[in-house]
Every structure is written in C-alpha cells, then in structure tokens.
Amino acid sequence: MRRLLATAAVLSLAVVLGAPAGAAPRVLWPGVTYELGVQFTPRGPVAIHVLRGPRPGGLTTLEPVLSNDTVVERETLTSMQRRLASQATAAGVNGDYFTFATGRPSGVLMREGGLVTPPNAERASAGITTDGRLEVRRASFVGSWRGLGGNRVVRSLNAPPTADGSALYTDRYGPATPPLPGSVALVLFPFPAPTPEVDLVAPAVELRAGGGAVPIPAGGAVLLARGQSAAALTAETAVGATVTVRLSLRPTWPGVLSAFGGGPQLVRDGVPLYRSGEKFTTRQLGPRAPRSAVGQLADGRVVLVAVDGRQPGYSVGLTSFELAQALVRLGAVTGIGLDSGGSTTMAFDGRLLNRPSDGRERSISTGVMLLYRGVFAPEPPALVSPNGDGVAESPGLGYRIVRPSSVTITMRAPGSAAPLTSTASQLPGTYPVPFPPTGGAPGPGKWSLEVSAVDDVGQASAITRTFVVDDTLGFLRVPRLRAVPPQGREISLTWRLSRAARASVTVLDETGKLVRRLLGGARLPAGEQRVVWDGLGANRRRLAGRYTVRVVVASEVARSELTAPIVLRRAAEPGKR
C-alpha cells in the first residue's frame, strides 16, 4: 500500500525546457534540481531526465568518478554513489565508453589534476577547469621515462604496452599489473601524483623479469616494458637509482582540474553539431537509442541529461543529433555525449532516476557526477500520516555531514510562532532528527526542517526540507484476490477518515488507465467508510489481471491518497467446466 501527495506522474517537455508549468523541479540540494520530461514524436514518446547544477566550484563540483576507484572492474552508478556517501552527496549520469572485459575507460580520466587514463585522440574529451568551465576538445597523449640514459617513450598509461613499447601503471589501475610474458617490470616507490607536464621523479625499488603480474604498491607505480624497451629498461635503470617519468597532453591543457572521455562533441558555441569528425560509426550515432550527455550554459550552470530508449510506448530514445538539439534547447553552449545504450543511467544519492533499457542497472566504468560536500538532509515523504495504519507514519528525518561541523537544527511547526532550535558540534556521519521534536502527536499542516552547518574550514551550508502532516485518510482495506463471475460479485473496499473530506475512489489497470470510477468527489463525514464494487469495468464486463484501487481525499488540511493492489480472475460460469 502506498500513500502519496497527489501530483502529476510525468511532466511535459515544456518543463524540461524551462517553460512555465504546474509542477516545480525537484530540489535535490541547494542549487541542484531534477526534472523528468516527455517529448511526443511521430516515432513515439521520449522520456528526458535532466539534472541542473550550478557552475562547478565551492560546495558543488562536477567530477568524474571511477568504478571501484580502480581502472579495472566495473560498478553500477548507484553503488558508486553509495560508496561516496561519506565524502559527498552525489547526483549524476554514466560516463565514458569502456571495454566490457576489463572496465577500462576508452578515453581520458583525470581527477584532482592527476592523470588516470589518457585521452582517445580520435574522440572528444571534456575537462573541468579550476574556474568551473567545461572545455570540450581533442587531445592526445605522449609520455616518456628517463633513467641512466636518454628519454624513452611511454606509449601507454594503465594499459598494456605495445610489442616493443613501455607502459606506466599507477596504483589507480588496480592491485597488480596484468601478466605479460616476456615483459620486464620496474617498481617505483614512492611515486608522485601523475600530474601532466611535470617531471615525476621516483626511486626504483625492484626490477623484475619473467612476465608475471607485478603488485603495484599504494602510492607507487610500475614501468612495464616489452621487446627493445624491456632491454632498455634493464640496461638503463638500477635499484636505488631514480627514474624520471613525464606524462603530457598534446596540445597542453592548462588549468584543467579533472577530465573525462566520451563523445562526440554535441554542441559548440551554442550550435548543435550534426558531424563532429570523430571516430564513431553510423550505428553508434544514427539510431534512436538511450543516450547521456553533459553540457554547460552561458552563465556557467551545467546540465546532465539521460534519455531513456528502446522501450516502445514509454520512450523510443534519440539520435545523437537530436540529443545535441535537446541540449541546445536546454540552453547549453557547449556539450559532449557520453556512453549510450544500456549504460545510460541517471541516479541520485544511490537511487535510480531513469529506466535503463536493459531492464536493470548495468555495471559501468565511470560516472560524471555533481558532488556536494555541504550538509545534506534526505527528502522526507511529501505527506506524513501518523494515524497508526503503518503507512507513512514518520518522515524519517535526519542529516549527513562529511566534515566536522557546527550544526544548527530548526524545526518549524504549523501555527507555532516559536521554532525549536538546537546547535551542536558533530563529527562526520549521519544523524537522525526525532519527530515530533517534543513527543506527543504532531499537529496537522506544513512542517519544515532547516539544517545549517559551518564545517572545520569555514564553509557554510544549509538545506530545508518541508512536509505535510495529515492523518485524514487511513486504514484502506482491499481484498488481494477475487474470482469474479460474469454478473460480478460484491467486493467491499473500506477506509477511515479522521475528519470530513471530499473523496473519490477509482480503479486503475497496470498502465494507470482508469477502468472504473466508484465514487466521484462526494463529501463524507469523519468515521469508517465503505464502497462496494462489483468487479466489473465501466463497460460492465468482467475484468481479469492486476489492478489498483485508489482513494483520494481533500480535506481542510491537504489532499492525499492511498492505493492498494487487487488481483481479479474470471470465475467459471455455473454449470460450465
């Protein structure tokens, strides 16, 4: 059984594009909202999920997230967010394309200025600068190492070397290098943060031959070489000596704090791009499919988009160019596509927002997320009904902080001039807020929880959550299964009202379509209520299958509803087998 504040289930495309509409965007935390829109096209509806955030910086940043915090392996987007919860509240989409077998991203990944994987020179990369700009460009990777001789080329980063080449594996790759017969490995420890365009000087602590997997020490790295490069690594390095590694992007990319791969570039200077000249097949870009993207508006705000697809009747998806047009309609002046198809995912605080086309969430390589490091209070139910029926009895209030903070909690009750306020110093963690704050029964009406915090580095943040307390409707009782003969049968539906209210009772099928109206807005007194249904549809024919009984009431306090499932089957007619 569910209790809901009556709202529209699906918003129109006008909501997504910022036009006036009746339903407000859902506020996830200050400055970040989520909207679901639907576009009706000749080929079918398209569901578009949009996250809007501020210019990256301060308490809300835009960052790539690596699955399991390693290059190898994969993880779902919701799992990434749950893993990060002690560090930040997250909302975002799937990231770069990746290799299914290993989970390695296909393009660049840079975090906090450190390079994890190099860019794909044949596709676009996106960088977030220190001043919060989203820059989309093509870049390539060049690397080198130098021991006792001259500079030697590093062709790969956290990926196997070529037959005569060398590769650098950092501790972000995973616990060990992959086994590679005939290779030679040099262990470097400690190894500096892999910042591009900087000489990374590290002592050599072990030289190992044999081609087996080599453990990568935390805070260290491994140079792995094959063929002629393996001979050079053996001849030009020595345990105890230092090795200098340099990782570079061409052209150089100054001021970039983090970066992620994807493609193609969708928007440039406010214009949707039909062709970007990147290495993608027509099959990847042309069909209508689930798709993800990120863009930035002229004022610095960002939008993250996930389009559901491959689900006829719900959402058929978009082509790559149609996605570019959607970004422009959202106001983007620059934008880039991300991995698509079954990888397309959008989530908030560890919960899915979209409907992946696989029917379940896929494990992926990276995510692109808005990360918030201020005080966060989860959304309470829109309506709380503490009447003892076991449905939405409590708002489950609480808050989460990621740094030591001075936290002030203010609870505002309806009709109360004096809010209840308390302040305390708290360590990072999750804390419950009792409700009602003083015990006893909470009064009906609109309540609010305000939580503000100042952390140990002086950053101030605040969040407000509101909810309505209304115990008018409760104790809906609907039989779970009934066999219905051709002429129908009596099915009793009961509920209780604590105060007078107008009520309607309807029956909906599995798609949400109305099949029978049993009560249409009659004003009822407080007390036990009963409606009898004969199990037939509006056309007086028997129904069979799964249905939902929906009771909606409007009182002086609020408008609320309860729903309950019922399964109907056709009973055999008398005298027939």
Side-chain angles (χ1 to χ4, degrees):
M1 188 182 297
R2 299 184 300 139
R3 183 186 304 278
L4 300 169
L5 203 64
T7 58
V10 179
L11 310 181
S12 70
L13 184 63
V15 176
V16 171
L17 301 185
R26 177 182 170 192
V27 177
L28 306 186
W29 66 79
V32 174
T33 62
Y34 162 73
E35 300 163 74
L36 166 61
V38 59
Q39 176 182 1
F40 296 98
T41 76
R43 295 181 179 270
V46 178
I48 306 177
H49 305 262
V50 179
L51 288 168
R52 300 177 191 261
R55 186 185 191 97
L59 289 171
T60 298
T61 57
L62 179 66
E63 302 179 33
V65 175
L66 184 61
S67 65
N68 301 290
D69 214 23
T70 59
V71 171
V72 293
E73 300 183 15
R74 296 183 288 141
E75 185 180 16
T76 63
L77 189 69
T78 56
S79 175
M80 293 181 207
Q81 293 180 349
R82 289 190 293 269
R83 178 168 52 82
L84 289 171
S86 64
Q87 306 168 44
T89 301
V93 295
N94 62 290
D96 197 0
Y97 302 85
F98 59 92
T99 303
F100 255 83
T102 65
R104 187 179 187 277
S106 69
V108 67
L109 184 71
M110 184 188 296
R111 302 189 305 174
E112 298 179 345
L115 198 59
V116 179
T117 56
N120 184 334
E122 297 178 308
R123 293 179 177 178
S125 300
I128 300 109
T129 64
T130 53
D131 61 353
R133 287 178 295 112
L134 179 69
E135 290 188 357
V136 180
R137 61 165 63 178
R138 300 274 285 275
S140 60
F141 168 76
V142 292
S144 66
W145 65 268
R146 185 176 71 251
L148 303 176
N151 284 339
R152 298 286 184 174
V153 175
V154 174
R155 299 194 181 279
S156 305
L157 175 62
N158 287 324
T162 57
D164 277 315
S166 60
L168 179 72
Y169 285 88
T170 69
D171 59 358
R172 288 303 89 203
Y173 174 78
T177 67
L180 195 61
S183 63
V184 173
L186 183 70
V187 181
L188 305 173
F189 182 83
F191 190 78
T195 307
E197 324 305 336
V198 174
D199 284 344
L200 308 172
V201 182
V205 297
E206 182 184 0
L207 183 66
R208 184 184 295 193
V214 179
I216 306 172
V222 175
L223 265 173
L224 194 66
R226 300 174 66 191
Q228 295 179 358
S229 293
L233 188 65
T234 303
E236 299 177 14
T237 61
V239 173
T242 60
V243 173
T244 300
V245 177
R246 192 173 181 91
L247 309 174
S248 298
L249 301 178
R250 294 291 181 266
T252 59
W253 209 347
V256 171
L257 186 63
S258 58
F260 51 91
Q265 182 168 10
L266 296 174
V267 181
R268 182 187 298 132
D269 298 326
V271 177
L273 301 181
Y274 185 71
R275 291 188 178 90
S276 63
E278 299 171 39
K279 190 174 181 179
F280 288 97
T281 65
T282 302
R283 183 179 177 182
Q284 288 175 299
L285 305 182
R288 288 177 174 82
R291 297 192 183 273
S292 303
V294 58
Q296 187 167 45
L297 282 59
D299 61 6
R301 289 179 297 154
V302 295
V303 290
L304 287 79
V305 176
V307 178
D308 289 329
R310 298 175 182 164
Q311 300 175 69
Y314 163 64
S315 185
V316 297
L318 294 176
T319 68
S320 181
F321 182 58
E322 289 170 339
L323 179 61
Q325 292 173 311
L327 276 182
V328 170
R329 289 195 297 268
L330 288 165
V333 295
T334 188
I336 183 173
L338 301 168
D339 192 10
S340 56
S343 297
T344 292
T345 317
M346 179 178 282
F348 162 56
D349 201 29
R351 291 178 178 156
L352 274 177
L353 294 174
N354 77 315
R355 287 169 52 174
S357 61
D358 285 355
R360 58 183 176 83
E361 189 180 3
R362 175 183 291 180
S363 293
I364 55 177
S365 170
T366 59
V368 178
M369 302 197 205
L370 293 162
L371 299 178
Y372 173 65
R373 295 176 174 85
V375 63
F376 174 73
E379 298 168 281
L383 189 142
V384 177
S385 179
N387 56 12
D389 69 352
V391 182
E393 294 286 338
S394 169
L397 303 177
Y399 64 91
R400 183 169 69 223
I401 51 175
V402 299
R403 299 186 64 90
S405 305
S406 174
V407 180
T408 298
I409 301 171
T410 301
M411 184 82 74
R412 300 185 186 275
S416 175
L420 297 173
T421 300
S422 64
T423 300
S425 295
Q426 302 282 18
L427 295 174
T430 300
Y431 298 90
V433 175
F435 182 82
T438 57
K446 184 177 180 181
W447 289 70
S448 68
L449 171 67
E450 302 167 8
V451 187
S452 61
V454 178
D455 65 23
D456 58 344
V457 294
Q459 296 183 110
S461 58
I463 189 167
T464 299
R465 295 301 194 188
T466 61
F467 56 96
V468 173
V469 172
D470 180 14
D471 62 354
T472 302
L473 174 63
F475 300 92
L476 176 62
R477 298 289 182 261
V478 174
R480 293 190 175 276
L481 174 66
R482 282 292 183 267
V484 181
Q487 70 276 16
R489 64 170 297 179
E490 182 178 297
I491 301 174
S492 180
L493 316 173
T494 63
W495 68 96
R496 187 184 302 169
L497 295 179
S498 64
R499 59 179 57 84
R502 292 193 177 276
S504 67
V505 181
T506 54
V507 181
L508 311 175
D509 66 13
E510 289 186 283
T511 69
K513 180 181 177 182
L514 176 69
V515 296
R516 185 76 182 270
R517 185 180 301 278
L518 306 177
L519 190 66
R523 184 167 181 82
L524 303 176
E528 299 291 336
Q529 312 295 330
R530 181 172 181 263
V531 166
V532 175
W533 176 35
D534 57 11
L536 305 180
N539 55 7
R540 310 305 296 171
R541 292 183 179 177
R542 280 189 298 174
L543 301 174
R546 299 179 182 273
Y547 298 88
T548 297
V549 174
R550 181 178 183 228
V551 179
V552 179
V553 303
S555 71
E556 60 187 14
V557 178
R559 185 170 184 262
S560 63
E561 72 173 61
L562 280 173
T563 62
I566 184 172
V567 176
L568 302 181
R569 63 180 180 84
R570 292 188 176 94
E573 295 184 37
K576 292 188 178 181
R577 299 179 63 87

